[in-house]
Coordinates of all heavy atoms in Angstrom, one line a residue:
M11 N 48.9 -49.8 29.1 CA 49.8 -49.8 27.9 C 51.0 -48.8 28.2 O 50.7 -47.6 28.4 CB 49.0 -49.4 26.7 CG 49.7 -49.5 25.4 SD 48.7 -49.1 24.0 CE 47.7 -50.6 23.8
S12 N 52.2 -49.3 28.1 CA 53.3 -48.4 28.3 C 53.7 -47.6 27.1 O 53.1 -47.9 26.0 CB 54.5 -49.3 28.7 OG 55.0 -50.0 27.6
D13 N 54.5 -46.6 27.2 CA 54.9 -45.7 26.1 C 55.6 -46.5 25.0 O 55.4 -46.2 23.8 CB 55.8 -44.7 26.6 CG 55.1 -43.6 27.5 OD1 53.9 -43.7 27.6 OD2 55.8 -42.8 28.2
E14 N 56.4 -47.5 25.3 CA 57.0 -48.3 24.3 C 56.1 -49.2 23.5 O 56.2 -49.5 22.4 CB 58.1 -49.2 24.9 CG 59.4 -48.4 25.3 CD 59.2 -47.5 26.5 OE1 58.4 -47.8 27.4 OE2 59.8 -46.5 26.5
E15 N 55.0 -49.7 24.2 CA 54.0 -50.5 23.5 C 53.2 -49.7 22.5 O 52.7 -50.3 21.5 CB 53.1 -51.2 24.5 CG 53.7 -52.2 25.4 CD 52.8 -52.7 26.5 OE1 51.6 -52.3 26.6 OE2 53.2 -53.6 27.3
I16 N 53.0 -48.5 22.7 CA 52.2 -47.6 21.8 C 52.9 -47.3 20.5 O 52.3 -47.1 19.5 CB 51.8 -46.4 22.6 CG1 50.5 -45.8 22.0 CG2 52.9 -45.3 22.6 CD1 49.9 -44.7 22.8
I17 N 54.2 -47.3 20.5 CA 55.0 -47.0 19.3 C 54.8 -48.1 18.2 O 54.9 -49.2 18.5 CB 56.5 -46.8 19.6 CG1 56.7 -45.6 20.6 CG2 57.3 -46.6 18.4 CD1 58.0 -45.5 21.1
G18 N 54.4 -47.6 17.1 CA 54.1 -48.5 15.9 C 52.7 -48.9 15.8 O 52.3 -49.4 14.8
K19 N 51.9 -48.6 16.8 CA 50.4 -48.9 16.7 C 49.7 -47.8 16.0 O 50.1 -46.6 16.0 CB 49.9 -49.1 18.1 CG 50.5 -50.2 18.9 CD 49.5 -51.0 19.6 CE 50.2 -52.1 20.3 NZ 49.8 -53.2 20.5
K20 N 48.5 -48.2 15.5 CA 47.7 -47.2 14.8 C 46.4 -46.9 15.6 O 45.7 -47.9 16.0 CB 47.3 -47.8 13.4 CG 46.6 -46.8 12.5 CD 46.5 -47.4 11.1 CE 45.8 -46.4 10.2 NZ 45.8 -46.8 8.8
F21 N 46.1 -45.7 15.7 CA 44.9 -45.2 16.4 C 44.1 -44.3 15.4 O 44.6 -43.2 15.1 CB 45.3 -44.5 17.7 CG 46.0 -45.3 18.7 CD1 47.4 -45.3 18.6 CD2 45.3 -46.0 19.6 CE1 48.1 -46.1 19.6 CE2 46.0 -46.8 20.5 CZ 47.4 -46.8 20.5
N22 N 43.0 -44.8 15.0 CA 42.2 -44.2 14.0 C 43.0 -43.9 12.7 O 43.5 -44.9 12.1 CB 41.5 -42.9 14.5 CG 40.5 -43.1 15.5 OD1 39.6 -43.9 15.3 ND2 40.6 -42.5 16.7
R23 N 43.3 -42.7 12.4 CA 44.2 -42.4 11.2 C 45.7 -42.2 11.6 O 46.5 -41.9 10.7 CB 43.7 -41.2 10.4 CG 42.3 -41.4 9.8 CD 41.9 -40.3 9.0 NE 40.8 -40.6 8.1 CZ 40.4 -39.9 7.1 NH1 41.0 -38.8 6.8 NH2 39.3 -40.2 6.5
L24 N 46.0 -42.2 12.8 CA 47.3 -41.8 13.3 C 48.1 -43.1 13.7 O 47.7 -43.9 14.4 CB 47.3 -40.9 14.5 CG 46.6 -39.6 14.3 CD1 46.5 -38.8 15.6 CD2 47.4 -38.7 13.3
T25 N 49.4 -43.1 13.2 CA 50.3 -44.2 13.5 C 51.4 -43.5 14.3 O 52.0 -42.6 13.9 CB 50.9 -44.8 12.2 OG1 49.9 -45.3 11.4 CG2 51.9 -46.0 12.6
V26 N 51.7 -44.1 15.5 CA 52.7 -43.5 16.4 C 54.1 -43.9 15.9 O 54.4 -45.1 15.7 CB 52.4 -44.0 17.9 CG1 53.5 -43.4 18.8 CG2 51.1 -43.7 18.3
L27 N 54.9 -42.9 15.7 CA 56.3 -43.1 15.2 C 57.3 -43.2 16.4 O 58.1 -44.1 16.4 CB 56.7 -42.0 14.3 CG 55.8 -41.9 13.0 CD1 56.2 -40.7 12.2 CD2 55.8 -43.1 12.2
E28 N 57.2 -42.2 17.3 CA 58.2 -42.2 18.4 C 57.8 -41.2 19.5 O 56.9 -40.4 19.3 CB 59.6 -41.7 17.9 CG 59.6 -40.4 17.3 CD 60.9 -40.0 16.7 OE1 61.4 -40.7 15.8 OE2 61.4 -38.9 17.0
K29 N 58.5 -41.4 20.6 CA 58.2 -40.4 21.8 C 59.0 -39.2 21.5 O 60.1 -39.2 21.0 CB 58.7 -41.1 23.1 CG 57.8 -42.0 23.7 CD 58.1 -42.6 25.0 CE 59.4 -42.3 25.7 NZ 59.5 -42.9 27.0
I30 N 58.4 -38.1 21.9 CA 59.1 -36.8 21.8 C 59.7 -36.5 23.2 O 59.0 -36.8 24.3 CB 58.1 -35.7 21.5 CG1 57.6 -35.9 20.1 CG2 58.8 -34.3 21.6 CD1 56.5 -35.0 19.6
P31 N 60.9 -36.0 23.3 CA 61.5 -35.8 24.7 C 60.5 -34.9 25.5 O 60.0 -33.9 25.0 CB 62.8 -35.0 24.3 CG 63.1 -35.4 23.0 CD 61.8 -35.7 22.3
K32 N 60.3 -35.4 26.7 CA 59.3 -34.8 27.6 C 59.9 -33.5 28.2 O 61.0 -33.4 28.7 CB 59.0 -35.8 28.7 CG 57.8 -35.3 29.6 CD 57.5 -36.4 30.6 CE 56.4 -36.0 31.5 NZ 56.1 -36.9 32.5
D33 N 59.0 -32.4 28.2 CA 59.3 -31.2 28.9 C 58.9 -31.3 30.4 O 57.9 -32.0 30.7 CB 58.5 -30.0 28.3 CG 59.0 -29.7 26.9 OD1 60.2 -30.0 26.6 OD2 58.2 -29.2 26.1
K34 N 59.7 -30.7 31.2 CA 59.4 -30.8 32.7 C 58.0 -30.3 33.0 O 57.6 -29.2 32.6 CB 60.5 -30.0 33.5 CG 60.4 -30.2 34.9 CD 61.5 -29.5 35.7 CE 61.4 -29.7 37.2 NZ 62.4 -29.0 37.9
G35 N 57.2 -31.1 33.7 CA 55.9 -30.7 34.1 C 54.8 -30.8 33.1 O 53.7 -30.4 33.3
K36 N 55.2 -31.3 31.9 CA 54.2 -31.5 30.9 C 54.0 -32.9 30.5 O 54.9 -33.7 30.7 CB 54.6 -30.7 29.6 CG 54.6 -29.2 29.8 CD 54.9 -28.5 28.5 CE 54.8 -27.0 28.8 NZ 55.1 -26.2 27.6
P37 N 52.8 -33.3 30.0 CA 52.6 -34.7 29.6 C 53.4 -35.2 28.5 O 53.9 -34.4 27.6 CB 51.1 -34.8 29.3 CG 50.7 -33.4 29.0 CD 51.6 -32.5 29.7
Q38 N 53.7 -36.5 28.4 CA 54.4 -37.1 27.3 C 53.7 -36.9 26.0 O 52.5 -37.2 25.9 CB 54.7 -38.6 27.6 CG 55.4 -39.3 26.5 CD 56.9 -38.8 26.5 OE1 57.6 -38.9 27.5 NE2 57.3 -38.4 25.3
K39 N 54.4 -36.5 25.0 CA 53.9 -36.3 23.6 C 54.5 -37.4 22.7 O 55.6 -37.9 23.0 CB 54.1 -34.9 23.1 CG 53.3 -33.9 23.8 CD 53.5 -32.5 23.1 CE 52.6 -31.5 23.8 NZ 52.6 -30.2 23.1
F40 N 53.8 -37.6 21.6 CA 54.3 -38.6 20.6 C 54.2 -38.0 19.2 O 53.4 -37.2 18.9 CB 53.4 -39.8 20.6 CG 53.5 -40.6 21.9 CD1 52.7 -40.3 23.0 CD2 54.5 -41.6 22.0 CE1 52.8 -41.0 24.2 CE2 54.6 -42.3 23.2 CZ 53.7 -42.1 24.3
L41 N 55.2 -38.4 18.4 CA 55.2 -38.0 17.0 C 54.4 -39.0 16.2 O 54.6 -40.2 16.3 CB 56.6 -38.0 16.5 CG 56.9 -37.3 15.2 CD1 56.6 -35.8 15.2 CD2 58.3 -37.5 14.7
C42 N 53.4 -38.6 15.5 CA 52.5 -39.5 14.8 C 52.4 -39.1 13.3 O 52.5 -37.9 12.9 CB 51.1 -39.4 15.4 SG 51.0 -40.0 17.0
K43 N 52.2 -40.1 12.5 CA 52.0 -39.9 11.0 C 50.5 -40.2 10.7 O 50.0 -41.2 11.0 CB 52.9 -40.7 10.2 CG 52.8 -40.5 8.7 CD 53.9 -41.2 8.0 CE 53.8 -40.8 6.5 NZ 54.8 -41.5 5.7
C44 N 49.9 -39.2 10.0 CA 48.5 -39.4 9.6 C 48.4 -40.2 8.3 O 49.4 -40.2 7.5 CB 47.8 -38.0 9.5 SG 46.1 -38.1 9.1
E45 N 47.3 -40.8 8.0 CA 47.1 -41.5 6.7 C 47.3 -40.6 5.5 O 47.8 -41.1 4.5 CB 45.7 -42.1 6.7 CG 45.6 -43.3 7.5 CD 44.2 -43.9 7.3 OE1 43.3 -43.4 6.6 OE2 43.9 -44.9 8.0
C46 N 47.1 -39.3 5.7 CA 47.2 -38.4 4.5 C 48.7 -38.1 4.3 O 49.0 -37.4 3.3 CB 46.4 -37.1 4.8 SG 47.1 -36.1 6.1
G47 N 49.6 -38.5 5.2 CA 51.0 -38.2 5.1 C 51.6 -37.1 6.0 O 52.8 -37.0 6.0
Y48 N 50.8 -36.4 6.6 CA 51.2 -35.3 7.5 C 51.7 -35.8 8.8 O 51.1 -36.8 9.3 CB 50.0 -34.3 7.7 CG 50.4 -33.0 8.2 CD1 51.0 -32.1 7.4 CD2 50.1 -32.7 9.5 CE1 51.3 -30.8 7.9 CE2 50.4 -31.4 10.0 CZ 51.0 -30.5 9.2 OH 51.4 -29.3 9.7
I49 N 52.8 -35.3 9.3 CA 53.3 -35.7 10.6 C 53.0 -34.7 11.7 O 53.2 -33.4 11.5 CB 54.8 -35.9 10.5 CG1 55.1 -37.1 9.5 CG2 55.5 -36.2 11.9 CD1 56.5 -37.4 9.3
I50 N 52.4 -35.1 12.8 CA 52.0 -34.2 13.9 C 52.5 -34.7 15.2 O 52.9 -35.8 15.4 CB 50.5 -34.0 14.0 CG1 49.8 -35.4 14.3 CG2 49.9 -33.5 12.7 CD1 48.4 -35.2 14.8
N51 N 52.6 -33.7 16.2 CA 52.8 -34.0 17.6 C 51.4 -34.2 18.2 O 50.6 -33.3 18.2 CB 53.5 -32.9 18.3 CG 54.9 -32.7 17.8 OD1 55.5 -33.6 17.2 ND2 55.4 -31.5 18.0
T52 N 51.1 -35.4 18.7 CA 49.8 -35.6 19.3 C 49.9 -35.2 20.9 O 51.0 -35.5 21.4 CB 49.3 -37.0 19.1 OG1 47.9 -37.0 19.5 CG2 50.0 -38.0 19.9
P53 N 48.9 -34.7 21.4 CA 49.0 -34.2 22.8 C 49.4 -35.3 23.8 O 50.4 -35.1 24.5 CB 47.7 -33.6 23.1 CG 47.1 -33.3 21.8 CD 47.7 -34.3 20.8
T54 N 48.7 -36.3 24.0 CA 49.0 -37.3 25.0 C 48.6 -38.7 24.5 O 47.8 -38.9 23.6 CB 48.3 -37.1 26.3 OG1 46.9 -37.1 26.1 CG2 48.6 -35.7 26.9
K55 N 49.2 -39.7 25.2 CA 48.8 -41.1 24.9 C 47.3 -41.3 25.2 O 46.6 -42.1 24.5 CB 49.7 -42.0 25.8 CG 49.4 -43.5 25.7 CD 50.3 -44.3 26.5 CE 50.3 -44.1 27.9 NZ 51.1 -45.0 28.7
Q56 N 46.8 -40.7 26.3 CA 45.4 -40.9 26.7 C 44.5 -40.4 25.5 O 43.5 -41.0 25.2 CB 45.1 -40.1 27.9 CG 43.8 -40.3 28.5 CD 43.6 -41.7 29.0 OE1 44.5 -42.4 29.4 NE2 42.4 -42.2 29.0
K57 N 44.8 -39.3 24.9 CA 44.0 -38.8 23.8 C 44.0 -39.7 22.6 O 43.0 -39.8 21.9 CB 44.4 -37.4 23.4 CG 44.0 -36.4 24.5 CD 44.2 -35.0 24.0 CE 43.7 -34.0 25.1 NZ 43.6 -32.7 24.7
L58 N 45.1 -40.4 22.4 CA 45.2 -41.4 21.3 C 44.3 -42.6 21.6 O 43.6 -43.0 20.8 CB 46.7 -41.8 21.1 CG 47.6 -40.9 20.3 CD1 49.0 -41.4 20.4 CD2 47.1 -40.8 18.9
I59 N 44.5 -43.1 22.8 CA 43.8 -44.3 23.2 C 42.3 -44.1 23.2 O 41.5 -45.0 22.8 CB 44.3 -44.9 24.5 CG1 45.8 -45.3 24.4 CG2 43.5 -46.0 25.1 CD1 46.5 -45.7 25.6
T60 N 41.8 -43.0 23.8 CA 40.4 -42.8 23.9 C 39.8 -42.3 22.6 O 38.6 -42.3 22.5 CB 40.1 -41.7 24.9 OG1 40.8 -40.5 24.6 CG2 40.6 -42.1 26.3
G61 N 40.6 -42.0 21.6 CA 40.0 -41.6 20.3 C 39.8 -40.1 20.2 O 39.1 -39.6 19.2
H62 N 40.2 -39.3 21.2 CA 40.0 -37.9 21.1 C 40.8 -37.3 19.9 O 40.4 -36.4 19.3 CB 40.4 -37.2 22.4 CG 40.2 -35.8 22.4 ND1 38.9 -35.3 22.6 CD2 41.0 -34.7 22.3 CE1 39.0 -33.9 22.6 NE2 40.2 -33.6 22.4
S63 N 42.0 -37.8 19.7 CA 42.8 -37.4 18.5 C 42.7 -38.5 17.5 O 43.2 -39.6 17.6 CB 44.3 -37.2 18.9 OG 44.5 -36.2 19.9
K64 N 42.0 -38.1 16.4 CA 41.8 -39.1 15.3 C 42.7 -38.9 14.1 O 42.9 -39.9 13.4 CB 40.3 -39.1 14.9 CG 39.3 -39.5 16.0 CD 37.9 -39.4 15.4 CE 36.9 -40.0 16.4 NZ 36.6 -39.2 17.5
S65 N 43.0 -37.7 13.8 CA 43.8 -37.4 12.6 C 44.5 -36.1 12.8 O 44.4 -35.4 13.8 CB 42.9 -37.4 11.4 OG 42.1 -36.2 11.4
C66 N 45.2 -35.6 11.7 CA 45.9 -34.4 11.8 C 44.9 -33.2 11.6 O 45.3 -32.1 11.8 CB 47.0 -34.3 10.7 SG 46.3 -34.3 9.0
G67 N 43.7 -33.5 11.3 CA 42.7 -32.5 11.0 C 42.1 -32.7 9.6 O 41.1 -32.1 9.3
C68 N 42.7 -33.7 8.9 CA 42.1 -34.0 7.6 C 40.8 -34.6 7.6 O 39.9 -34.4 6.8 CB 43.1 -34.9 6.8 SG 43.4 -36.5 7.5
L69 N 40.5 -35.4 8.7 CA 39.2 -36.0 8.9 C 38.1 -35.0 9.1 O 37.0 -35.1 8.4 CB 39.2 -37.0 10.1 CG 37.9 -37.7 10.4 CD1 37.5 -38.6 9.2 CD2 38.1 -38.6 11.6
K70 N 38.4 -34.0 9.9 CA 37.4 -32.9 10.1 C 37.1 -32.2 8.8 O 36.0 -31.9 8.5 CB 37.9 -32.0 11.2 CG 37.0 -30.9 11.5 CD 37.5 -30.0 12.7 CE 36.5 -29.0 13.1 NZ 37.0 -28.2 14.2
R71 N 38.2 -31.9 8.0 CA 38.0 -31.2 6.7 C 37.2 -32.1 5.8 O 36.3 -31.5 5.1 CB 39.3 -30.9 6.1 CG 40.1 -29.7 6.8 CD 41.3 -29.3 6.1 NE 42.3 -30.3 6.0 CZ 43.3 -30.6 6.8 NH1 43.3 -29.9 8.0 NH2 44.1 -31.5 6.6
E72 N 37.4 -33.4 5.8 CA 36.6 -34.2 4.9 C 35.2 -34.3 5.3 O 34.3 -34.2 4.4 CB 37.2 -35.7 4.9 CG 38.5 -35.9 4.2 CD 39.0 -37.3 4.3 OE1 38.2 -38.2 4.6 OE2 40.2 -37.4 4.1
I73 N 34.9 -34.3 6.6 CA 33.5 -34.3 7.1 C 32.8 -33.0 6.7 O 31.7 -33.0 6.3 CB 33.5 -34.7 8.6 CG1 33.9 -36.1 8.8 CG2 32.1 -34.4 9.2 CD1 34.1 -36.5 10.3
M74 N 33.5 -31.9 6.9 CA 32.9 -30.6 6.7 C 32.6 -30.5 5.2 O 31.6 -30.0 4.8 CB 33.8 -29.5 7.1 CG 34.0 -29.4 8.6 SD 32.4 -29.0 9.4 CE 32.1 -27.4 8.8
S75 N 33.5 -31.0 4.3 CA 33.4 -30.9 2.9 C 32.2 -31.7 2.5 O 31.3 -31.3 1.7 CB 34.6 -31.4 2.2 OG 34.4 -31.4 0.8
Y76 N 32.0 -32.9 3.0 CA 30.9 -33.8 2.7 C 29.6 -33.2 3.2 O 28.6 -33.2 2.4 CB 31.1 -35.2 3.4 CG 30.0 -36.1 3.3 CD1 29.8 -36.8 2.1 CD2 29.0 -36.3 4.3 CE1 28.7 -37.7 1.9 CE2 28.0 -37.1 4.2 CZ 27.8 -37.8 3.0 OH 26.7 -38.7 2.8
N77 N 29.6 -32.6 4.4 CA 28.4 -32.0 4.9 C 28.0 -30.8 4.0 O 26.8 -30.6 3.7 CB 28.5 -31.5 6.3 CG 28.6 -32.7 7.3 OD1 28.1 -33.8 6.9 ND2 29.1 -32.5 8.4
M78 N 28.9 -30.0 3.6 CA 28.6 -28.8 2.8 C 28.1 -29.2 1.4 O 27.2 -28.6 0.8 CB 29.9 -27.9 2.6 CG 30.3 -27.2 3.8 SD 29.0 -26.3 4.6 CE 28.7 -25.0 3.3
S79 N 28.6 -30.3 0.8 CA 28.1 -30.8 -0.5 C 26.7 -31.3 -0.3 O 25.9 -31.1 -1.2 CB 29.0 -31.9 -1.1 OG 29.0 -33.0 -0.3
N80 N 26.4 -31.9 0.8 CA 25.0 -32.4 1.0 C 24.1 -31.2 1.2 O 22.9 -31.3 0.8 CB 24.9 -33.3 2.2 CG 25.4 -34.7 1.9 OD1 25.5 -35.1 0.7 ND2 25.6 -35.5 2.9
I81 N 24.5 -30.2 1.9 CA 23.7 -29.0 2.1 C 23.4 -28.4 0.7 O 22.2 -28.0 0.4 CB 24.4 -28.0 3.0 CG1 24.4 -28.5 4.4 CG2 23.7 -26.6 3.0 CD1 25.2 -27.7 5.4
R82 N 24.4 -28.2 -0.1 CA 24.2 -27.7 -1.5 C 23.2 -28.5 -2.3 O 22.3 -28.0 -3.0 CB 25.5 -27.5 -2.2 CG 26.3 -26.3 -1.8 CD 27.5 -26.1 -2.7 NE 28.6 -25.7 -1.8 CZ 29.6 -26.5 -1.5 NH1 29.8 -27.7 -2.0 NH2 30.6 -26.1 -0.7
Y83 N 23.4 -29.8 -2.2 CA 22.5 -30.8 -2.9 C 21.1 -30.6 -2.5 O 20.2 -30.5 -3.3 CB 23.0 -32.2 -2.7 CG 22.1 -33.2 -3.3 CD1 22.1 -33.5 -4.7 CD2 21.2 -34.0 -2.5 CE1 21.2 -34.4 -5.3 CE2 20.4 -34.9 -3.1 CZ 20.4 -35.1 -4.4 OH 19.5 -36.0 -5.0
N84 N 20.9 -30.6 -1.1 CA 19.6 -30.5 -0.6 C 18.9 -29.2 -0.9 O 17.7 -29.1 -1.2 CB 19.6 -30.7 0.9 CG 19.9 -32.2 1.3 OD1 19.7 -33.1 0.5 ND2 20.4 -32.4 2.5
R85 N 19.7 -28.1 -0.9 CA 19.2 -26.8 -1.2 C 18.8 -26.7 -2.7 O 17.7 -26.2 -3.0 CB 20.3 -25.8 -1.0 CG 19.7 -24.4 -0.8 CD 20.8 -23.4 -0.5 NE 21.3 -23.6 0.9 CZ 22.5 -23.3 1.4 NH1 23.4 -22.7 0.6 NH2 22.8 -23.4 2.6
N86 N 19.5 -27.4 -3.6 CA 19.1 -27.4 -5.0 C 17.9 -28.2 -5.2 O 17.1 -27.9 -6.0 CB 20.3 -27.9 -5.9 CG 21.4 -26.9 -5.9 OD1 21.2 -25.8 -5.8 ND2 22.6 -27.4 -6.2
M87 N 17.8 -29.3 -4.5 CA 16.6 -30.2 -4.6 C 15.3 -29.4 -4.1 O 14.3 -29.5 -4.8 CB 16.8 -31.5 -3.8 CG 17.8 -32.4 -4.4 SD 17.4 -32.9 -6.1 CE 15.9 -33.9 -5.8
L88 N 15.5 -28.7 -3.0 CA 14.3 -27.9 -2.5 C 13.9 -26.8 -3.6 O 12.7 -26.6 -3.8 CB 14.7 -27.2 -1.2 CG 14.8 -28.2 0.0 CD1 15.3 -27.4 1.2 CD2 13.4 -28.8 0.3
K89 N 14.9 -26.2 -4.2 CA 14.6 -25.2 -5.2 C 13.8 -25.8 -6.4 O 12.8 -25.3 -6.9 CB 15.8 -24.5 -5.8 CG 16.5 -23.6 -4.8 CD 17.8 -23.0 -5.4 CE 18.5 -22.1 -4.4 NZ 19.8 -21.6 -5.0
K90 N 14.2 -27.0 -6.8 CA 13.6 -27.7 -7.9 C 12.2 -28.1 -7.5 O 11.2 -27.9 -8.3 CB 14.4 -28.9 -8.3 CG 15.6 -28.6 -9.1 CD 16.4 -29.9 -9.4 CE 17.7 -29.5 -10.0 NZ 18.5 -30.7 -10.3
E91 N 12.0 -28.6 -6.3 CA 10.6 -29.0 -5.8 C 9.8 -27.8 -5.7 O 8.6 -27.9 -6.0 CB 10.8 -29.7 -4.5 CG 11.4 -31.1 -4.6 CD 11.6 -31.8 -3.2 OE1 11.1 -31.2 -2.2 OE2 12.2 -32.8 -3.2
Y92 N 10.3 -26.7 -5.2 CA 9.5 -25.5 -5.1 C 9.0 -25.0 -6.5 O 7.9 -24.6 -6.7 CB 10.3 -24.4 -4.4 CG 9.5 -23.1 -4.3 CD1 8.5 -22.9 -3.4 CD2 9.8 -22.0 -5.2 CE1 7.8 -21.7 -3.3 CE2 9.1 -20.8 -5.1 CZ 8.1 -20.7 -4.2 OH 7.4 -19.5 -4.1
G93 N 10.0 -25.1 -7.4 CA 9.6 -24.7 -8.8 C 8.5 -25.5 -9.4 O 7.6 -25.0 -10.0
V94 N 8.5 -26.8 -9.1 CA 7.5 -27.7 -9.6 C 6.2 -27.4 -8.9 O 5.1 -27.3 -9.6 CB 7.9 -29.2 -9.4 CG1 6.7 -30.1 -9.6 CG2 9.1 -29.6 -10.3
C95 N 6.2 -27.2 -7.6 CA 4.9 -27.0 -6.8 C 4.3 -25.6 -7.2 O 3.1 -25.5 -7.3 CB 5.2 -27.0 -5.3 SG 5.6 -28.7 -4.7
S96 N 5.2 -24.6 -7.5 CA 4.6 -23.3 -7.7 C 4.0 -23.2 -9.1 O 3.2 -22.4 -9.4 CB 5.7 -22.3 -7.6 OG 6.7 -22.5 -8.6
T97 N 4.4 -24.1 -10.0 CA 3.7 -24.1 -11.4 C 2.4 -24.9 -11.4 O 1.8 -24.9 -12.4 CB 4.7 -24.7 -12.4 OG1 5.1 -26.0 -12.0 CG2 6.0 -23.8 -12.5
M98 N 2.1 -25.6 -10.4 CA 0.9 -26.4 -10.4 C -0.4 -25.6 -10.3 O -0.5 -24.6 -9.8 CB 0.9 -27.4 -9.2 CG 1.9 -28.5 -9.4 SD 1.8 -29.5 -8.0 CE 2.3 -31.1 -8.7

C-alpha cells in the first residue's frame, strides 16, 4: 500500500488526513484525526496498518476507566457478600 493509498482510509479510530513532510533519516509520518476529534501525528504507516496505533490515547483512557469501574463494583460486591456471610 503506497503513501497516497493510505490517505483517507480509517485504521481503528484513526483516519489518515495527509502526509507530513519527511525529515531526513526519519520514517514517514501522517496526520490523523481520531474519532474523538483530536488530531495527531502517527509514527509510521506500518504502525497504522498493523494496528499498533489505534487512537490518540482516548481508547486507552476508556479501557482504563471501564476497568476501574469494574474493580470498584467487584470490591463493593465482595464487601456486601462478606457482610452477609459474617452475620450468619
Side-chain angles (χ1 to χ4, degrees):
M11 186 178 281
S12 72
D13 291 346
E14 283 71 32
E15 290 176 359
I16 202 170
I17 296 172
K19 297 224 184 216
K20 188 170 182 177
F21 298 91
N22 293 308
R23 290 185 172 196
L24 297 174
T25 303
V26 181
L27 299 176
E28 62 185 51
K29 280 186 355 180
I30 297 174
K32 186 177 177 182
D33 292 333
K34 187 176 181 181
K36 294 189 178 180
Q38 179 67 55
K39 292 186 176 186
F40 293 88
L41 192 66
C42 297
K43 184 173 184 179
C44 186
E45 283 181 1
C46 70
Y48 196 72
I49 295 179
I50 64 164
N51 296 336
T52 193
T54 62
K55 175 173 64 173
Q56 187 66 26
K57 289 191 177 188
L58 280 171
I59 293 172
T60 59
H62 184 74
S63 295
K64 293 182 173 76
S65 71
C66 65
C68 63
L69 180 61
K70 185 176 182 178
R71 288 188 298 272
E72 285 178 22
I73 291 170
M74 291 299 293
S75 175
Y76 175 78
N77 288 341
M78 290 306 292
S79 66
N80 280 344
I81 288 170
R82 281 189 222 106
Y83 173 77
N84 290 338
R85 200 175 288 154
N86 289 337
M87 290 302 291
L88 288 173
K89 286 179 184 176
K90 288 178 186 176
E91 289 175 8
Y92 177 76
V94 169
C95 292
S96 64
T97 58
M98 290 180 150

